């Protein structure tokens, strides 16, 4: 009896599922945190690639690109002041963290979009992990 209900229900629900797009080869962010109330800036701890981060000596060193669904955010290498006050997709990768804002200044934890990253531009010939 349960299977008689399950299969039609699964067909209906399954036919409506649409995966959130992300670029090929991109990795999803987890653990997004709000920096402070009244600001557009969010934080992701990103110790894994600290050696690639921007530094005062090399302010555009990081090759990390951030995506909102399948679209790149930017400009990269922004100041934290611009990320906090302007938002609109600005981001920076420094000292084991990424500070970023969404394209429309909404909360990335609740806006239903996927946030992901690549080292350099997304490569269509690499499958996501």
């Amino acid at each position: 009896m349960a299977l008689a209900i399950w299969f039609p229900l699964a067909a209906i629900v399954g036919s409506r599922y649409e995966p959130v797009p992300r670029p090929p080869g991109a990795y999803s962010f987890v653990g997004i945190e709000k920096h402070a109330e009244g600001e557009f800036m969010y934080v992701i701890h990103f110790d894994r690639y600290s050696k690639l981060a921007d530094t005062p000596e090399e302010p555009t060193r990081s090759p990390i690109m951030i995506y909102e669904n399948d679209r790149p955010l930017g400009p990269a290498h922004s100041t934290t002041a611009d990320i906090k006050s302007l938002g609109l997709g600005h981001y920076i990768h420094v000292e084991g963290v990424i500070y970023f804002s969404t394209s429309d200044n909404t909360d990335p934890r609740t806006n239903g979009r996927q946030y992901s990253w690549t080292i350099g531009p997304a490569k269509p010939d690499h499958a996501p992990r």
Side-chain angles (χ1 to χ4, degrees):
M1 180 68 163
L3 290 178
I5 295 170
W6 170 253
F7 286 116
L9 182 60
I12 292 168
V13 173
S15 67
R16 293 185 184 159
Y17 173 74
E18 292 182 33
V20 177
R22 73 175 177 192
Y27 301 93
S28 296
F29 282 121
V30 293
I32 296 172
E33 301 172 8
K34 178 77 172 166
H35 184 260
E37 290 304 314
E39 297 177 354
F40 301 122
M41 188 160 75
Y42 292 83
V43 180
I44 300 163
H45 296 282
F46 204 69
D47 295 327
R48 186 174 180 181
Y49 293 101
S50 293
K51 293 181 180 182
L52 299 177
D54 291 348
T55 65
E57 297 78 27
E58 295 180 87
T60 59
R61 177 172 77 172
S62 177
I64 301 295
M65 293 185 67
I66 298 178
Y67 297 86
E68 183 177 75
N69 288 343
D70 58 351
R71 295 185 177 184
L73 287 179
H77 317 292
S78 296
T79 65
T80 54
D82 283 349
I83 300 166
K84 289 177 187 178
S85 62
L86 299 174
L88 304 175
H90 287 73
Y91 70 91
I92 188 169
H93 171 215
V94 291
E95 302 172 9
V97 296
I98 291 177
Y99 297 108
F100 80 105
S101 58
T102 62
S103 63
D104 60 357
N105 295 340
T106 57
D107 187 333
R109 301 167 299 175
T110 59
N111 68 12
R113 297 183 203 128
Q114 172 74 38
Y115 292 87
S116 57
W117 63 275
T118 61
I119 296 178
K123 296 176 176 71
D125 56 335
H126 288 89
R129 291 185 183 195

